[in-house]
Amino acid sequence: MLTSSARLLRLLSLLQTYRQRSGAELADQLGVTVRTVRRDVDRLRELGYPVHAARGTAGYRLGAGAVLPPLLLDDEEAVAVAIGLRTAAASAVTGIEETALRALAKLERVLPSRLRHRVTAVQQATVRAAHPGPTVDPDVLTAISDACHRRERLRFDYTDHHGDRSTRLVEPHTLVSWGRHWYLIAWDPDRDDWRSFRVDRLRPWTPTGPRFTRREPPGGDAAAYLARQLSVGPWAVRATVTVPEPAAVVAGRLWPGMGAVEAVDATSCLLHLGADTPADLAWMVTVLGVDFTASGPPEFVDAVRALGARCARAVRNGHP
């Protein structure tokens, strides 16, 4: 016969299905009397579980309470939830990524090894259709998210955009999903300043370091801080173009992190941009749909000229 505690857990598992169950059915499955079922239901209620009894019957069902009580998952449910959380963490649904990672970290800490192996096997056998670009290991995201949540220092090996490698020790604050990339926003004690790191370029060490007192990034908004960093960050190619439009008009056409606008007067402004290649810069400026003057650097001017020639050939070839 099950012990009292084990019986409570088994009863809770039975009540977490969608349908209502009668007292007699529960008693039969638990191997106890209907009276014992009633006592166990009362104990669950004392623990905060909202167990409702249907009027006129001996049926019970688990309702929604003011707070979320602990849930019991069988093997198949645990695997399904873990896979779903990993998929959500890699999605483009705004605001869900970090929450999914926190939940995934909690679940994977208690998953038996046999179930963790099944989750990994499904992940390895699954291909997601996505934009080309660097990928991030979900385990790396989970480790970073866990360090953010626990407020524990994180040490990792990092490769910057120049290919230089270093070991960093930071106070992790937030993970931000930005376009095709993930970024870690963190306070760097060695630099005495905030920094952003591409997650696909770092490899965390384990275990994590000591706990720290959380501080807020400039402006209190990690995503806004990242947008500013990406606008003026250490890109391989940078350029400034003159646009004969008010600064407010140009700023309204930019996507976050695309560039920084500087007003010259009421009718013109400067747009400061950065990208990995001159061709990327040329594309970024032309998609704004405004006139501009490109004065340098030379490789950027050449890229704009090449793009213009390519567009002219496309029109000429299509309309003889």
Side-chain angles (χ1 to χ4, degrees):
M1 180 178 292
L2 295 174
T3 64
S4 177
S5 298
R7 191 176 66 245
L8 277 182
L9 290 175
R10 175 60 177 157
L11 173 59
L12 181 59
S13 178
L14 292 172
L15 291 173
Q16 284 179 344
T17 59
Y18 288 109
R19 67 185 183 88
Q20 177 177 296
R21 293 177 179 269
S22 69
E25 180 184 2
L26 292 171
D28 180 64
Q29 292 183 327
L30 294 172
V32 296
T33 65
V34 173
R35 182 178 180 181
T36 299
V37 170
R38 286 198 296 267
R39 287 201 303 266
D40 287 347
V41 166
D42 289 338
R43 292 183 63 188
L44 287 177
R45 288 169 177 162
E46 292 173 358
L47 294 172
Y49 292 94
V51 182
H52 302 309
R55 291 185 178 181
T57 70
Y60 298 98
R61 64 180 177 84
L62 191 64
V67 296
L68 179 67
L71 300 176
L72 293 178
L73 303 175
D74 61 27
D75 285 4
E76 299 299 327
E77 292 168 341
V79 170
V81 171
I83 293 173
L85 288 172
R86 284 189 174 222
T87 302
S91 72
V93 180
T94 303
I96 200 174
E97 303 96 342
E98 185 179 356
T99 305
L101 286 171
R102 289 203 308 269
L104 180 60
K106 293 179 181 178
L107 179 59
E108 290 196 335
R109 276 199 298 271
V110 297
L111 276 181
S113 59
R114 69 180 189 280
L115 299 186
R116 193 177 297 111
H117 173 74
R118 289 175 59 184
V119 173
T120 302
V122 171
Q123 287 295 124
Q124 292 176 344
T126 302
V127 176
R128 297 181 66 248
H131 295 291
T135 59
V136 176
D137 187 339
D139 290 334
V140 173
L141 286 174
T142 301
I144 297 173
S145 178
D146 201 25
C148 292
H149 181 63
R150 292 172 172 268
R151 301 182 183 181
E152 295 176 344
R153 286 192 172 190
L154 184 67
R155 188 183 301 274
F156 54 87
D157 296 323
Y158 191 69
T159 304
D160 65 18
H161 66 286
H162 294 300
D164 297 329
R165 298 180 179 180
S166 61
T167 299
R168 312 294 287 270
L169 178 63
V170 303
E171 297 175 359
H173 184 277
T174 305
L175 277 168
V176 179
S177 175
W178 192 281
R180 297 194 300 253
H181 302 298
W182 281 87
Y183 292 86
L184 167 64
I185 309 303
W187 173 261
D188 190 331
D190 293 334
R191 276 73 174 176
D192 195 32
D193 198 3
W194 288 90
R195 290 290 188 270
S196 61
F197 303 93
R198 278 262 299 270
V199 175
D200 59 286
R201 295 174 177 166
L202 68 81
R203 292 294 176 266
W205 292 21
T206 55
T208 52
R211 294 177 64 87
F212 61 87
T213 301
R214 182 184 176 95
R215 63 185 84 201
E216 293 303 316
D221 187 330
Y225 167 78
L226 179 61
R228 293 191 297 271
Q229 291 297 105
L230 294 180
S231 296
V232 299
W235 292 104
V237 182
R238 296 195 55 80
T240 297
V241 299
T242 302
V243 182
E245 296 282 353
V249 172
V250 177
R253 291 175 174 267
L254 301 180
W255 60 79
M258 179 181 179
V261 179
E262 178 186 351
V264 174
D265 52 39
T267 60
S268 65
C269 65
L270 298 177
L271 176 58
H272 307 282
L273 299 151
D276 291 328
T277 68
D280 289 342
L281 271 183
W283 172 81
M284 290 168 64
V285 176
T286 54
V287 296
L288 292 178
V290 297
D291 293 336
F292 64 92
T293 300
S295 56
E299 59 269 25
F300 169 59
V301 175
D302 290 342
V304 172
R305 186 178 293 112
L307 180 59
R310 188 178 305 115
C311 292
R313 285 195 301 272
V315 175
R316 184 169 58 252
N317 294 337
H319 299 80

